[in-house]
Amino acid sequence: QVQLVESGGGLVQAGGSLRLSCAASGRTFNRNAMGWFRQAPGKEREFVAAISWSGGVTFYADSVKGRFTISRDIAKNTAYLQMNSLKAEDTAVYYCAATLALVARHAGAYDYWGQGTQVTVSS
């Protein structure tokens, strides 16, 4: 079993930056692809970014491409989402997830989920 705990959310101004962390526990963490999803009020959960278990392949939603960067530190059992040039529309609860697949962009492919961390961007 993999346990995921997100942190780093909070209030930021438009144009600012924020770094989310996802601390993971579990023996299979280094063999899990990781993903970030977000859900705004009244909206469905949407894909944000994903990174393969090896760290060599990444995917981003078009809405965040060029602004967000996903990374992972296997030694620290932690995944990150660096968010730059934040916009009001980035406001959402951000969730970290893990999958046994090589990499995935669909929520249904993920087996483990964190509790979420709120990101609020003021304009």
Side-chain angles (χ1 to χ4, degrees):
Q1 186 178 16
V2 177
Q3 184 83 27
L4 306 175
V5 180
E6 302 97 333
S7 63
L11 291 168
V12 295
Q13 293 186 338
S17 298
L18 197 64
R19 188 194 198 194
L20 304 183
S21 297
C22 176
S25 62
R27 183 161 47 182
T28 62
F29 172 75
N30 65 328
R31 294 189 176 184
N32 285 112
M34 305 295 297
W36 286 95
F37 291 77
R38 66 187 182 186
Q39 187 166 22
K43 300 293 183 65
E44 295 182 352
R45 188 171 299 184
E46 65 175 343
F47 169 77
V48 176
I51 185 168
S52 64
W53 68 267
S54 67
V57 179
T58 58
F59 291 101
Y60 297 93
D62 289 340
S63 59
V64 306
K65 192 172 298 182
R67 300 188 298 120
F68 291 11
T69 302
I70 187 171
S71 62
R72 66 189 302 170
D73 187 331
I74 300 299
K76 297 179 66 175
N77 290 339
T78 303
Y80 305 94
L81 184 68
Q82 178 66 47
M83 305 183 292
N84 298 325
S85 301
L86 283 163
K87 306 174 181 179
E89 49 263 45
D90 294 319
T91 295
V93 176
Y94 283 71
Y95 297 89
C96 176
T99 176
L100 294 178
L102 290 177
V103 66
R105 290 168 285 185
H106 301 290
Y110 286 82
D111 306 293
Y112 307 99
W113 294 83
Q115 82 289 347
T117 185
Q118 177 71 48
V119 172
T120 302
V121 184
S122 63
S123 57

XYZ file of all heavy atoms in Angstrom, residues 77-115:
303
model
N 11.455 9.999 -1.237
C 10.085 9.498 -1.388
C 9.091 10.643 -1.532
O 8.032 10.666 -0.898
C 9.691 8.622 -0.192
C 10.437 7.308 -0.167
O 10.947 6.840 -1.182
N 10.494 6.686 1.005
N 9.445 11.593 -2.380
C 8.645 12.798 -2.527
C 8.495 13.195 -3.987
O 9.464 13.137 -4.750
C 9.275 13.964 -1.748
O 9.416 13.596 -0.371
C 8.399 15.203 -1.832
N 7.289 13.584 -4.361
C 7.020 14.156 -5.673
C 6.698 15.629 -5.486
O 6.206 16.040 -4.434
C 5.860 13.439 -6.348
N 6.965 16.425 -6.507
C 6.769 17.861 -6.424
C 6.006 18.387 -7.627
O 6.031 17.802 -8.703
C 8.111 18.592 -6.355
C 9.018 18.141 -5.240
C 9.990 17.172 -5.467
C 8.898 18.680 -3.965
C 10.828 16.755 -4.444
C 9.726 18.262 -2.942
C 10.690 17.304 -3.182
O 11.512 16.892 -2.164
N 5.353 19.500 -7.416
C 4.744 20.241 -8.509
C 5.122 21.701 -8.319
O 4.606 22.369 -7.421
C 3.225 20.081 -8.529
C 2.525 20.760 -9.708
C 2.889 20.051 -11.015
C 1.012 20.759 -9.512
N 6.053 22.180 -9.135
C 6.448 23.578 -9.108
C 5.502 24.352 -10.005
O 5.391 24.065 -11.199
C 7.890 23.735 -9.598
C 8.375 25.179 -9.655
C 8.471 25.812 -8.286
O 9.018 25.216 -7.367
N 7.930 27.029 -8.145
N 4.821 25.325 -9.442
C 3.830 26.099 -10.170
C 4.298 27.544 -10.268
O 4.470 28.218 -9.253
C 2.468 26.024 -9.479
C 1.973 24.601 -9.270
S 0.313 24.528 -8.533
C 0.679 25.181 -6.894
N 4.510 28.008 -11.483
C 4.933 29.376 -11.734
C 3.870 30.108 -12.534
O 3.005 29.499 -13.149
C 6.261 29.396 -12.498
C 7.400 28.758 -11.742
O 7.476 28.857 -10.516
N 8.298 28.107 -12.468
N 3.966 31.421 -12.539
C 3.025 32.261 -13.289
C 1.584 31.863 -13.008
O 0.776 31.681 -13.917
C 3.322 32.171 -14.793
O 4.641 32.579 -15.079
N 1.259 31.738 -11.750
C -0.064 31.266 -11.359
C -1.161 32.236 -11.778
O -0.980 33.453 -11.758
C -0.105 31.034 -9.855
C 0.590 29.748 -9.395
C 0.867 29.790 -7.903
C -0.274 28.540 -9.742
N -2.293 31.657 -12.148
C -3.459 32.406 -12.572
C -4.627 32.095 -11.648
O -4.643 31.067 -10.982
C -3.838 32.035 -14.012
C -2.729 32.173 -15.022
C -3.169 31.636 -16.377
C -2.067 31.736 -17.403
N -2.499 31.181 -18.713
N -5.608 32.969 -11.648
C -6.784 32.755 -10.812
C -7.451 31.423 -11.139
O -7.974 30.751 -10.238
C -7.770 33.906 -10.982
N -7.441 31.034 -12.404
C -8.075 29.792 -12.801
C -7.333 28.541 -12.326
O -7.818 27.427 -12.506
C -8.265 29.734 -14.326
C -7.016 30.081 -15.107
C -6.996 31.528 -15.561
O -7.322 32.409 -14.740
O -6.669 31.784 -16.735
N -6.162 28.730 -11.728
C -5.441 27.609 -11.140
C -5.966 27.269 -9.753
O -5.553 26.273 -9.157
C -3.944 27.910 -11.048
C -3.289 28.026 -12.408
O -3.611 27.213 -13.304
O -2.443 28.932 -12.581
N -6.848 28.095 -9.229
C -7.415 27.856 -7.914
C -8.165 26.527 -7.893
O -9.057 26.291 -8.706
C -8.364 28.990 -7.521
O -7.620 30.206 -7.388
C -9.049 28.693 -6.191
N -7.791 25.662 -6.969
C -8.396 24.340 -6.882
C -7.777 23.590 -5.717
O -6.786 24.028 -5.125
C -8.178 23.548 -8.173
N -8.364 22.455 -5.399
C -7.730 21.512 -4.502
C -6.856 20.621 -5.364
O -7.321 20.046 -6.348
C -8.756 20.661 -3.729
C -8.045 19.609 -2.876
C -9.622 21.550 -2.852
N -5.594 20.517 -5.009
C -4.650 19.722 -5.773
C -4.404 18.386 -5.088
O -4.148 18.330 -3.883
C -3.331 20.479 -5.936
C -3.412 21.556 -6.985
C -4.157 22.709 -6.756
C -2.776 21.419 -8.217
C -4.266 23.694 -7.723
C -2.874 22.401 -9.186
C -3.616 23.537 -8.938
O -3.712 24.513 -9.902
N -4.474 17.320 -5.878
C -4.312 15.973 -5.369
C -3.109 15.287 -5.999
O -2.892 15.381 -7.207
C -5.546 15.120 -5.672
C -6.821 15.606 -5.022
C -7.645 16.517 -5.667
C -7.192 15.141 -3.770
C -8.816 16.955 -5.080
C -8.361 15.574 -3.176
C -9.173 16.481 -3.834
O -10.333 16.913 -3.251
N -2.359 14.603 -5.194
C -1.278 13.757 -5.647
C -1.807 12.336 -5.771
O -2.636 11.902 -4.971
C -0.120 13.817 -4.651
S 1.259 12.720 -5.018
N -1.342 11.610 -6.773
C -1.799 10.248 -6.980
C -0.660 9.372 -7.489
O 0.313 9.868 -8.062
C -2.959 10.218 -7.975
N -0.800 8.079 -7.272
C 0.202 7.117 -7.717
C -0.465 5.968 -8.450
O -1.565 5.542 -8.096
C 0.991 6.584 -6.521
N 0.210 5.474 -9.474
C -0.302 4.369 -10.273
C 0.804 3.367 -10.544
O 1.981 3.726 -10.604
C -0.888 4.869 -11.609
O -1.297 3.759 -12.403
C 0.143 5.689 -12.387
N 0.417 2.116 -10.717
C 1.380 1.081 -11.076
C 1.704 1.104 -12.561
O 2.633 0.435 -12.999
C 0.849 -0.297 -10.681
C 0.699 -0.548 -9.178
C 0.115 -1.930 -8.928
C 2.036 -0.401 -8.470
N 0.963 1.859 -13.339
C 1.239 2.010 -14.757
C 2.531 2.794 -14.959
O 3.006 3.493 -14.066
C 0.078 2.711 -15.455
N 3.092 2.692 -16.154
C 4.317 3.429 -16.461
C 4.086 4.924 -16.342
O 4.919 5.653 -15.803
C 4.809 3.076 -17.863
C 5.356 1.669 -18.067
C 5.724 1.453 -19.529
C 6.573 1.444 -17.180
N 2.961 5.392 -16.859
C 2.548 6.776 -16.761
C 1.089 6.826 -17.173
O 0.640 6.013 -17.983
C 3.419 7.694 -17.652
C 3.209 7.374 -19.122
C 3.133 9.158 -17.367
N 0.336 7.746 -16.608
C -1.088 7.824 -16.912
C -1.581 9.248 -16.770
O -1.077 10.015 -15.947
C -1.890 6.894 -16.002
N -2.579 9.589 -17.571
C -3.182 10.912 -17.547
C -4.647 10.875 -17.153
O -5.304 11.918 -17.130
C -3.031 11.582 -18.916
C -1.603 11.982 -19.253
C -1.457 12.354 -20.705
N -1.473 11.170 -21.560
C -1.264 11.179 -22.866
N -1.023 12.321 -23.485
N -1.298 10.049 -23.561
N -5.173 9.703 -16.851
C -6.573 9.562 -16.484
C -6.692 9.178 -15.013
O -5.997 8.282 -14.532
C -7.256 8.518 -17.360
C -7.216 8.833 -18.817
N -7.943 9.870 -19.366
C -6.533 8.269 -19.839
C -7.720 9.927 -20.673
N -6.870 8.968 -20.978
N -7.596 9.836 -14.316
C -7.759 9.598 -12.894
C -8.056 8.143 -12.580
O -7.608 7.612 -11.567
C -8.872 10.500 -12.342
N -8.809 7.483 -13.461
C -9.181 6.099 -13.234
C -8.016 5.140 -13.223
O -8.149 4.010 -12.740
N -6.880 5.559 -13.746
C -5.702 4.701 -13.788
C -4.904 4.735 -12.491
O -4.008 3.916 -12.312
C -4.807 5.101 -14.952
N -5.232 5.662 -11.621
C -4.464 5.828 -10.394
C -5.057 5.023 -9.243
O -6.279 4.981 -9.059
C -4.347 7.305 -10.038
C -3.371 8.008 -10.941
C -3.759 8.447 -12.199
C -2.050 8.193 -10.555
C -2.848 9.047 -13.051
C -1.135 8.800 -11.393
C -1.537 9.226 -12.642
O -0.628 9.823 -13.489
N -4.179 4.398 -8.490
C -4.577 3.488 -7.435
C -4.576 4.117 -6.047
O -5.313 3.675 -5.164
C -3.632 2.278 -7.427
C -3.538 1.609 -8.776
O -4.557 1.033 -9.216
O -2.457 1.660 -9.400
N -3.755 5.127 -5.844
C -3.614 5.753 -4.542
C -3.729 7.261 -4.670
O -3.221 7.852 -5.623
C -2.271 5.387 -3.903
C -2.013 3.907 -3.845
C -1.208 3.286 -4.786
C -2.597 3.123 -2.850
C -0.977 1.916 -4.741
C -2.378 1.753 -2.805
C -1.562 1.153 -3.754
O -1.342 -0.199 -3.707
N -4.369 7.869 -3.687
C -4.615 9.310 -3.701
C -4.321 9.940 -2.354
O -4.564 9.342 -1.310
C -6.070 9.600 -4.061
C -6.428 9.204 -5.456
C -6.787 7.965 -5.889
C -6.461 10.060 -6.598
N -7.041 7.993 -7.235
C -6.848 9.262 -7.697
C -6.203 11.413 -6.800
C -6.981 9.781 -8.986
C -6.336 11.937 -8.074
C -6.720 11.124 -9.153
N -3.797 11.159 -2.404
C -3.626 11.930 -1.198
C -4.919 12.625 -0.826
O -5.939 12.508 -1.525
N -4.902 13.358 0.273
C -6.111 14.017 0.772
C -6.392 15.354 0.097
O -7.484 15.895 0.229
C -6.006 14.216 2.290
C -5.209 15.443 2.733
C -3.714 15.321 2.496
O -3.192 14.241 2.221
N -3.007 16.448 2.604
